[in-house]
Amino acid sequence: MKLLIIEDEPDLLESIVRYFENAKHICEHAKNYIIAEDKIAGFDYDIIILDITLPDGNGLNLLPSIKESQTDCGVIIVSAKNALDDKIAGLDLGADDYITKPFHLAELNSRINALLRRNQFKGDNTLVFNEIELNIKTQEASINKKLLVLTQKEYALLLYFITNKHRVITKQSIAEHLWGDYMDMADNFDFIYTHIRNLRKKIHELDGEDYLKTVYGLGYKYTDHN
Amino acid sequence: MKLLKKTNRYYLLFTSIILTLASTLLFITLNFVSEQQDELNLHTRQEQVINQIRKNGTNPYLPPYIEVKEIPKLINSENRLGETHIYNPIENEKEEYTELIIDKKIKDKNYRIIIRNSHVDADDYVFSILVIILILFGLMLGGLAIINSLISSKVWSVFYVNLAKIQKFSINQKEPIKLDDSNILEFTELNKAIEKLTNTTQSEFKALKEFTENASHEMQTPLAIVQLNTENLIQDVTLNESQSKMLEKIGNATNRMSSLTQGLLLLAKIDNQQFGIDEQVNVSDTVNTQITFYNDLFDSKKLTFTSNIESNIFIKGNHLLCQILFSNLLNNAIKHNINKGKITVILTPKMFKISNTGTEPKVKTNQLFDRFKKSSSLNNSVGLGLSIVKKISIYFDWRISYLYEKGEHSICVFF
């Protein structure tokens, strides 16, 4: 996948680039409005990550030209939290999704993948991880073709894990992914145990392998590596 | 007391004293002059009578005004001035007279000459003059008081208009204060001073708010950097347990900091009136949605949740702020609850009430809604939650109250 990351803060940019390059994606970047404009006009991208607070212009103003010169490109805008106006303006101008600072890379990754699936497969494809198959359109999971009956949260959890496979995901990012903004005030994320435990149990019942590894106090890793 | 009354009082007191003194003085002077005239008159007439007796030898007899009697012996040859009452048959009453009596020898005869003058006229004059003066003074006083009132209320009306404007002034309001002009120097000076004071305070306050907002805003980026780098760091498979623990602590602390700056930013935005309050919010739906989100948290602490939520309650406000308000209250009720405790939520068109079991608060009740005052020793709570609730309540003009009774905390929001 070819990504364009428009971000003026170098440290942020580096973290994002490093993450996605690790996942074997092609990353290009622009640190201000002018460079961004240039790149958008000249090249094609699958996904554009756009921070709207750029030093030399409002990132939102790039959206019309993105819509014009890019085909099937998903745009995620990065804004400050509770900046409702920015969010609405961005979505109105053609952005596909938004994420607020500070964010988890796992969350960003999850959103980008969802966008890609929508744009390139029109939401009709399957995500496969070994014997587990997730049908994106029907939101159904199966192990070795046998239907895995999951609740909405359990499905979302499994999708999140598979999308972010082989990486340590923190409990907080899981909580925020499933329960949204309300969770930034919770001081304790142990309540996610229940859902994780139930998911594990259901997979076990269908003789599926448990790829979910607990990583000390940090979080979980969904992987088949050892 | 009002300024008007006070100044009037002094005026009236002063004027009354002066007028009393003046009237008394006038009375005394008039009387004195009158008596002097009287005496002079008596002496003159006495002279005339003596001359007449000497020339013509006649004894004038015009009682009670002139009485001349022959007397055998001179008893008192000095002038004697006195007062006497004589009955006047015409007027049918006793009248007062001044009399001048002298015993004198004229041409070998001894005479007692009595000259009298009636007071009545003079007294009447003095009395009339005094009455007129008193009426005049009375009118003056009365007029002074009335004119004072009329003019003053006209003059002070500008003051009262401006006073009302000052009372309504809030440092947070967008427009600067605009006071009515007056052609009275003191009021103009006061106006200028107040306008300068309020303008300065308003701009300083605005600068402070902007600073808070900018600071909070700026903090998002370094926080994001810490978070992202930490997230990348934890991917390292060679981390040992103690390193992982440290990273976990860093992660938690970063979360708290993030919560904190978000909260401060929110408070600053509400202060800045950056949220509209014209939306019709379905409060029933909002509350129910929040409860659904928090269901898992209820379970994790094994809390029993009961509710009585009337449906379709609409209130004028702001969607986002309402969400935040109820979310914070629920979060608070869960956080400060005991294991296997309970939470009760009631929603009526008039109010929202949430009660939860919990330990007694360590902080004074009225301080509970202040920033960073935590009622229990839970270290992870950031302490902004309730002050955000309070600020949103104030913004919507809702009353909020807190009660701790029988092991239960209750917070009530009245719409």
Side-chain angles (χ1 to χ4, degrees):
Chain A
M1 154 172 67
K2 197 161 171 215
L3 279 166
L4 173 62
I5 304 162
I6 307 174
E7 169 60 58
D8 62 314
E9 181 63 49
D11 290 333
L12 273 181
L13 182 58
E14 193 189 318
S15 293
I16 301 173
V17 167
R18 176 194 301 225
Y19 177 89
F20 285 107
E21 277 181 349
N22 261 341
K24 311 282 186 279
H25 297 301
I26 306 171
C27 290
E28 289 197 12
H29 50 88
K31 64 181 180 188
N32 59 38
Y33 193 95
I34 300 192
I35 299 177
E37 241 181 350
D38 222 17
K39 298 226 157 162
I40 291 167
F43 306 98
D44 285 329
Y45 300 98
D46 298 308
I47 299 280
I48 297 183
I49 299 169
L50 169 59
D51 185 334
I52 56 183
T53 49
L54 294 171
D56 55 342
N58 186 345
L60 288 174
N61 296 332
L62 285 169
L63 286 167
S65 41
I66 294 175
K67 277 195 88 72
E68 222 184 271
S69 58
Q70 303 281 332
T71 43
D72 276 339
C73 172
V75 181
I76 298 183
I77 51 179
V78 180
S79 67
K81 207 152 199 181
N82 289 333
L84 205 63
D85 297 336
D86 285 342
K87 175 176 146 192
I88 295 177
L91 295 173
D92 276 346
L93 282 171
D96 298 286
D97 202 353
Y98 78 100
I99 196 170
T100 57
K101 273 196 285 204
F103 52 82
H104 295 274
L105 287 165
E107 181 64 37
L108 181 62
N109 186 37
S110 168
R111 306 244 183 148
I112 286 176
N113 274 281
L115 246 190
L116 263 180
R117 286 193 291 268
R118 272 210 311 271
N119 281 347
Q120 293 186 354
F121 305 106
K122 310 295 183 247
D124 187 9
N125 65 331
T126 48
L127 198 57
V128 176
F129 185 81
N130 293 354
E131 71 272 19
I132 301 177
E133 223 176 87
L134 295 176
N135 186 323
I136 304 300
K137 194 168 184 189
T138 60
Q139 299 209 321
E140 280 176 348
S142 61
I143 298 180
N144 290 323
K145 307 283 190 217
K146 282 182 284 183
L147 184 64
L148 183 60
V149 179
L150 299 173
T151 66
Q152 207 181 20
K153 285 222 167 60
E154 286 162 1
Y155 173 82
L157 198 54
L158 188 56
L159 179 57
Y160 195 60
F161 283 139
I162 293 180
T163 313
N164 288 300
K165 58 190 174 206
H166 311 309
R167 283 186 63 91
V168 179
I169 312 172
T170 60
K171 282 178 278 189
Q172 207 216 0
S173 84
I174 296 172
E176 274 180 29
H177 179 78
L178 291 182
W179 283 272
D181 289 345
Y182 311 96
M183 281 311 133
D184 69 345
M185 280 182 304
D187 50 338
N188 179 316
F189 304 104
D190 295 339
F191 61 91
I192 63 180
Y193 283 153
T194 324
H195 295 273
I196 291 178
R197 192 191 59 215
N198 290 344
L199 179 63
R200 270 181 163 147
K201 198 158 138 225
K202 287 184 182 177
I203 291 176
H204 181 75
E205 277 167 8
L206 284 184
D207 294 324
E209 198 170 319
D210 182 18
Y211 297 109
L212 193 63
K213 319 265 185 269
T214 313
V215 182
Y216 292 128
L218 292 174
Y220 300 92
K221 190 192 273 199
Y222 199 82
T223 183
D224 55 0
H225 304 158
N226 278 326
Chain B
M1 125 184 7
K2 288 176 123 192
L3 189 61
L4 198 61
K5 245 187 162 174
K6 198 151 195 160
T7 50
N8 265 358
R9 222 178 239 207
Y10 284 129
Y11 279 147
L12 287 175
L13 192 62
F14 176 73
T15 321
S16 306
I17 294 176
I18 297 283
L19 292 184
T20 314
L21 282 174
S23 327
T24 319
L25 210 62
L26 188 70
F27 181 72
I28 295 174
T29 313
L30 282 176
N31 254 350
F32 181 69
V33 167
S34 165
E35 278 168 15
Q36 289 294 89
Q37 283 300 105
D38 210 25
E39 220 183 292
L40 203 61
N41 196 305
L42 287 172
H43 278 284
T44 313
R45 276 209 256 139
Q46 194 190 60
E47 285 289 314
Q48 288 171 337
V49 165
I50 292 176
N51 278 342
Q52 209 191 333
I53 299 174
R54 201 171 276 156
K55 281 200 184 127
N56 305 343
T58 49
N59 290 3
Y61 191 68
L62 197 60
Y65 301 104
I66 305 176
E67 280 178 27
V68 180
K69 274 200 307 220
E70 276 192 42
I71 46 173
K73 228 174 22 155
L74 292 179
I75 301 168
N76 198 337
S77 42
E78 303 252 320
N79 268 318
R80 276 169 288 154
L81 197 62
E83 299 273 323
T84 180
H85 284 93
I86 296 184
Y87 179 74
N88 184 341
I90 303 170
E91 297 288 331
N92 201 15
E93 62 183 5
K94 273 205 171 170
E95 291 177 347
E96 258 190 38
Y97 290 88
T98 337
E99 60 184 10
L100 188 63
I101 308 176
I102 194 170
D103 296 345
K104 203 164 172 88
K105 184 174 183 154
I106 308 173
K107 284 180 161 177
D108 299 329
K109 282 200 179 138
N110 289 331
Y111 296 94
R112 169 161 284 180
I113 303 172
I114 307 178
I115 312 281
R116 293 203 186 90
N117 240 349
S118 162
H119 270 198
V120 175
D121 290 347
D123 286 350
D124 282 349
Y125 278 144
V126 172
F127 185 69
S128 311
I129 292 175
L130 202 62
V131 166
I132 292 176
I133 294 290
L134 281 175
I135 292 177
L136 231 87
F137 282 172
L139 285 175
M140 222 172 82
L141 265 173
L144 188 73
I146 293 174
I147 291 174
N148 230 0
S149 269
L150 288 174
I151 293 183
S152 294
S153 64
K154 182 161 172 272
V155 157
W156 284 98
S157 70
V158 172
F159 172 81
Y160 284 112
V161 163
N162 283 342
L163 184 65
K165 285 190 184 177
I166 294 171
Q167 281 167 332
K168 267 195 0 208
F169 176 77
S170 152
I171 199 173
N172 218 354
Q173 70 186 48
K174 287 206 171 90
E175 320 78 34
I177 201 171
K178 183 78 190 69
L179 299 172
D180 280 10
D181 288 327
S182 158
N183 54 10
I184 294 173
L185 184 65
E186 285 87 350
F187 290 161
T188 329
E189 298 278 297
L190 186 65
N191 280 1
K192 275 201 285 206
I194 290 179
E195 277 169 0
K196 179 160 174 240
L197 176 70
T198 53
N199 287 342
T200 318
T201 353
Q202 269 187 316
S203 54
E204 282 176 14
F205 188 66
K206 186 159 168 251
L208 187 66
K209 280 194 297 182
E210 276 173 9
F211 172 75
T212 312
E213 205 178 324
N214 286 338
S216 296
H217 202 265
E218 290 304 309
M219 280 198 258
Q220 302 308 326
T221 306
L223 269 175
I225 294 173
V226 171
Q227 193 153 299
L228 291 185
N229 279 292
T230 315
E231 199 174 339
N232 273 333
L233 205 50
I234 63 178
Q235 305 305 323
D236 188 348
V237 295
T238 65
L239 290 173
N240 62 35
E241 191 170 338
S242 76
Q243 286 168 327
S244 297
K245 273 210 166 70
M246 287 192 259
L247 282 170
E248 189 192 354
K249 293 200 169 114
I250 291 175
N252 289 342
T254 317
N255 288 335
R256 271 165 69 192
M257 229 193 319
S258 181
S259 275
L260 193 59
T261 48
Q262 302 293 356
L264 286 176
L265 203 58
L266 181 65
L267 287 171
K269 285 199 170 144
I270 297 175
D271 262 339
N272 253 343
Q273 301 175 336
Q274 281 178 334
F275 294 100
I277 47 171
D278 299 320
E279 302 168 8
Q280 277 296 329
V281 182
N282 186 332
V283 177
S284 317
D285 278 353
T286 313
V287 171
N288 279 321
T289 317
Q290 294 304 308
I291 291 173
T292 322
F293 274 111
Y294 280 101
N295 260 327
D296 294 296
L297 278 176
F298 294 153
D299 292 337
S300 76
K301 254 183 157 162
K302 303 203 188 357
L303 302 171
T304 353
F305 177 80
T306 37
S307 68
N308 188 343
I309 297 170
E310 291 179 30
S311 34
N312 292 321
I313 298 179
F314 280 86
I315 310 248
K316 196 164 84 122
N318 178 292
H319 259 115
L320 181 61
L321 291 183
C322 275
Q323 269 177 8
I324 295 175
L325 179 106
F326 293 120
S327 178
N328 278 13
L329 283 173
L330 276 166
N331 197 27
N332 195 60
I334 296 170
K335 201 178 288 194
H336 295 107
N337 218 324
I338 52 182
N339 263 331
K340 302 204 183 137
K342 58 186 179 108
I343 296 185
T344 321
V345 166
I346 300 174
L347 177 67
T348 73
K350 289 242 159 66
M351 63 129 182
F352 171 87
K353 180 169 175 194
I354 180 166
S355 321
N356 62 282
T357 47
T359 53
E360 195 165 345
K362 289 200 176 112
V363 166
K364 277 194 277 209
T365 312
N366 64 341
Q367 285 184 331
L368 211 58
F369 291 101
D370 289 341
R371 283 167 219 204
F372 309 121
K373 291 242 169 22
K374 302 191 244 185
S375 76
S376 72
S377 49
L378 286 178
N379 280 327
N380 282 342
S381 86
V382 154
L384 268 187
L386 283 183
S387 70
I388 290 177
V389 166
K390 182 177 176 191
K391 186 145 264 204
I392 295 177
S393 307
I394 293 175
Y395 193 63
F396 287 155
D397 234 340
W398 295 347
R399 193 166 66 82
I400 187 165
S401 74
Y402 167 80
L403 188 62
Y404 182 75
E405 198 176 48
K406 295 186 194 147
E408 270 196 24
H409 303 265
S410 296
I411 295 184
C412 232
V413 178
F414 299 96
F415 302 132

